[in-house]
Amino acid sequence: LGRFIHRAIYQEILPTLDQALTPDGGRAFAQAVLERFDNPYIDHSLLAISLNTVSKWRTRVLPTLKDYLADQGQLPVCLTFSLAALVAFYNVKASPAQLAASHWAEDLNRLPGLAAQVTAHLELIRTAGMRTAIRRLEDLPRVQEPGQGGLN
């Protein structure tokens, strides 16, 4: 799970940040987040984390997904996977396209390829299980950060 989270933060989220507002590219904040999740003394209750997840995803992840798509010309794999995981968590029987159209204050079907990618992730989660699905995403080749030879 750690490689998946690292990839999401460093390859999909940080590149969308306004560099004028985050001179270090958000790396200090990212490191603080990772350290918080690594702290065994902080109780990360799944139930507490899952409260209001649709609202959290819509306000925190969706804008980043859209910025990444606009900047990179492709969908961010980890962030689209996070939507599929959200659908799987709530065990929604509707297709992601229907969910997107009815719960997000905008029609996410207008984002090119989103419904297909989320559907593919969701199918993998449902057939192989969450752990296997995440492992497969972790094994994808790393995308180099702009202006760098790779990740630390």
Side-chain angles (χ1 to χ4, degrees):
L1 185 60
R3 288 190 338 215
F4 173 83
I5 292 171
H6 191 271
R7 180 185 184 123
I9 291 172
Y10 285 96
Q11 293 185 26
E12 297 181 5
I13 297 169
L14 292 186
T16 68
L17 297 178
D18 183 344
Q19 297 304 308
L21 298 176
T22 56
D24 72 342
R27 290 184 178 281
F29 177 74
Q31 188 59 39
V33 169
L34 294 173
E35 287 172 5
R36 184 168 185 261
F37 278 107
D38 282 341
N39 185 340
Y41 300 105
I42 298 177
D43 182 23
H44 296 288
S45 165
L46 181 58
L47 182 59
I49 292 170
S50 69
L51 293 175
N52 303 311
T53 50
V54 171
S55 175
K56 289 176 184 175
W57 197 93
R58 182 178 54 238
T59 59
R60 299 175 185 174
V61 181
L62 180 57
T64 303
L65 184 147
K66 290 165 60 176
D67 288 346
Y68 186 96
L69 177 60
D71 293 346
Q72 305 295 323
Q74 62 185 8
L75 290 166
V77 174
C78 296
L79 299 185
T80 57
F81 184 87
S82 73
L83 179 54
L86 180 61
V87 172
F89 177 77
Y90 283 107
N91 201 24
V92 174
K93 299 299 180 196
S95 73
Q98 291 168 324
L99 177 73
S102 62
H103 292 283
W104 304 107
E106 65 181 280
D107 185 359
L108 297 185
N109 294 303
R110 292 183 181 181
L111 296 175
L114 180 65
Q117 192 165 328
V118 171
T119 299
H121 289 318
L122 186 57
E123 182 64 23
L124 179 60
I125 291 167
R126 288 180 173 161
T127 58
M130 185 62 76
R131 287 177 194 226
T132 298
I134 289 173
R135 269 191 231 113
R136 288 188 188 170
L137 288 178
E138 289 177 337
D139 291 339
L140 291 174
R142 290 183 173 200
V143 176
Q144 288 188 354
E145 294 180 57
Q148 296 196 5
L151 296 176
N152 297 332

